[in-house]
Amino acid sequence: MPNPSAPRNNGKQQDPALRRKNFDEVAHTFTKEEAVAEADRCLHCPTHPCQNACPVGVHIPDFIAFIKAGDAGAAVSEIMKTSLLPAICGRVCPQEKHCEGHCVLKAKFGAVNIGGLERYAADTARAEGALKPPVPAASTGKKVVCIGSGPSSLACAAELRRAGHDVTVLEALHAYGGVLRYGIPSFRLPREVINKEVQTVQDMGVKFKTDVLVGATIKLDELLKEYDAVYIGSGAGLPMMLGIPGENGVGVYSANEFLTRINLMQAYKFPQTDTPVQVGKHVVVLGGGNSAMDAARCAMRLQPETVTIAYRRSREEMPARAAEVEHAQEEGIQFEYLVTPKEILQDEQGRVTGIRFTRNQLGEPDERGRRRPVEIPGSDFVQPADTVITAIGQRPNPTIAKTTPALKTTERGVIALNEKGETSMPGVYAGGDIIRGGATVLLAMNDGIAAAGRINEYLKGK
Ligand code: FAD
């Protein structure tokens, strides 16, 4: 009989006082005993609401049953029927919004820790040599290229390869993984976990090439001569600007630049690495999403005196994963809610000295149901700061669209799809942040998987 009333196990974590000074992983993987006990809490609901709420439909009750039976290899094989990046998703998916948010135990005893169990299955099966890449179908003789190596392209490439196509991934940077590598820090997602998940896709026979910026190194039209179909998963890597005075001051970073320096270029090891990063005594991060949490927690590890996250709405409306907000608070990061930045103040050398904010109150809900911030007249105040990191959103990189006149985009700059999920160019498909303008790993993967299905159909008729 399951034991649902046992308290949820959130898993062990590195002590906040220690971890705020290092880039080692915060959360630990369950031991076998912990995993079996947590799996034992699952009621195996016949309607499986958790599975229905998962964007890629992971067979959650089934994989949990394998863990309960002590078979991590079978558990990960079950997950990999629909998701090929289980060690990544177990670590970074916003489970509270998807699977765990729909667990029937949530209100009374706490949801089953599905993310922790997924991560356990992947890590354990891999360590035991029981994580096997899916075997591709017989060769179709068709060639497909996926642009970008983020979760969307990785998922698309793996599905296309599974169907027997010859698949190549082209990546602009010198390393694979997209935001997983340059955005999400190693203390949330260790680099070897990304390497191993990419290796699984390589082991299926997908070819990878770095340092190819499509639109500059090679044009999309040229790729269409060499390949039977193209998938664009080039993400949304262009930071949005505040548009306020002082934004060009010395000491202002976009979260994108700050995180890329630290995560991709390992600037926190400078001078052993080539790229430096500088924070002063008082860091203020503007924003309330995952980028803001990651930037603030990276900044804290560089050991300034204070790190503050300033957000224009309240805690309730913050889009970041709940676990990241809690971890940030535990690490000593301060939160200033309901404030809008008006000006970044500078000294005569152009160095940042502070930010002038106006206080807000919450007004009516916007089109997404989040209550709008409404400024309170006369409530301005100055927060001292010598480093400001802006994390207010990202837009698609325009390189491919600018160099491909036939590829239609919307006024937001995202690639436009018709009701059948097709771009304006035959044989060209797209998904992930390049069509959404910023979403989650699982939604990006789901787009890649869905597009692979459409590409399969397209290639059958070719
Ligand atoms: P990306 O991951 O952006 O990958 C796109 C890739 O394409 C990049 O590697 C880029 O270099 C490459 N590329 C771009 N242009 C070209 C070109 N012209 N030619 C060749 N290659 C090109 N989501 C979660 O679910 N959980 C989280 O905890 C989370 N944390 C996040 C933290 C940060 C800092 C950020 C920025 C986002 C976070 N997200 C999180 C969102 C999630 O990471 C993205 O939604 C997801 O990575 C999008 O995947 P993608 O494959 O569409 O694009």
Side-chain angles (χ1 to χ4, degrees), residues 149-160:
S149 66
S152 184
S153 272
L154 290 176
C156 186
E159 285 309 312
L160 290 167

Side-chain angles (χ1 to χ4, degrees), residues 55-291:
V56 298
V58 168
H59 302 166
I60 294 169
D62 293 346
F63 97 71
I64 290 181
F66 282 121
I67 292 181
K68 193 171 157 183
D71 191 343
V76 86
S77 299
E78 195 60 40
I79 298 169
M80 287 173 73
K81 285 180 181 166
T82 61
S83 168
L84 277 168
L85 308 174
I88 292 173
C89 292
R91 285 171 164 85
V92 304
C93 275
Q95 287 95 2
E96 75 273 10
K97 290 188 185 140
H98 299 309
C99 53
E100 294 179 13
H102 292 75
C103 175
V104 296
L105 299 183
K106 186 179 161 199
K108 209 160 174 198
F109 304 113
V112 173
N113 188 342
I114 299 168
L117 290 175
E118 181 177 23
R119 168 194 171 137
Y120 164 81
D123 289 3
T124 308
R126 198 167 255 134
E128 291 172 351
L131 191 152
K132 305 278 183 230
V135 180
S139 172
T140 61
K142 302 278 194 249
K143 289 174 73 182
V144 188
V145 64
C146 297
I147 303 171
S149 66
S152 184
S153 272
L154 290 176
C156 186
E159 285 309 312
L160 290 167
R161 182 69 200 123
R162 219 199 280 248
H165 307 306
D166 178 335
V167 185
T168 303
V169 170
L170 302 179
E171 168 55 51
L173 298 174
H174 64 269
Y176 307 118
V179 171
L180 303 172
R181 181 163 318 255
Y182 77 75
I184 300 182
S186 55
F187 53 81
R188 283 215 285 138
L189 182 58
R191 306 300 90 164
E192 62 270 22
V193 173
I194 307 171
N195 296 343
K196 284 177 183 159
E197 301 267 73
V198 171
Q199 187 62 51
T200 302
V201 182
Q202 284 173 327
D203 290 346
M204 290 175 72
V206 174
K207 297 167 211 158
F208 283 75
K209 282 186 197 161
T210 53
D211 305 304
V212 182
L213 177 65
V214 175
T217 322
I218 184 165
K219 301 275 189 324
L220 182 62
D221 293 327
E222 294 171 72
L223 288 176
L224 277 170
K225 292 181 193 146
E226 196 183 332
Y227 295 92
D228 296 295
V230 177
Y231 178 72
I232 308 176
S234 51
L238 197 65
M240 278 159 65
M241 309 301 280
L242 289 163
I244 61 173
E247 201 173 1
N248 59 353
V250 179
V252 182
Y253 293 93
S254 69
N256 190 300
E257 179 193 342
F258 186 72
L259 289 169
T260 302
R261 279 175 184 263
I262 291 178
N263 300 320
L264 183 69
M265 308 310 291
Q266 304 201 309
Y268 61 94
K269 294 182 186 163
F270 184 80
Q272 287 96 313
T273 53
D274 294 334
T275 305
V277 66
Q278 181 89 39
V279 298
K281 289 184 178 162
H282 301 289
V283 181
V284 176
V285 179
L286 304 172
N290 286 317
S291 297

Side-chain angles (χ1 to χ4, degrees), residues 250-253 258 277-284 299-307 351-352 384-389:
V250 179
V252 182
Y253 293 93
F258 186 72
V277 66
Q278 181 89 39
V279 298
K281 289 184 178 162
H282 301 289
V283 181
V284 176
M300 182 54 103
R301 282 156 172 78
L302 302 174
Q303 301 182 36
E305 286 175 19
T306 63
V307 179
R351 291 180 196 283
V352 171
D386 40 25
T387 305
V388 175
I389 304 171

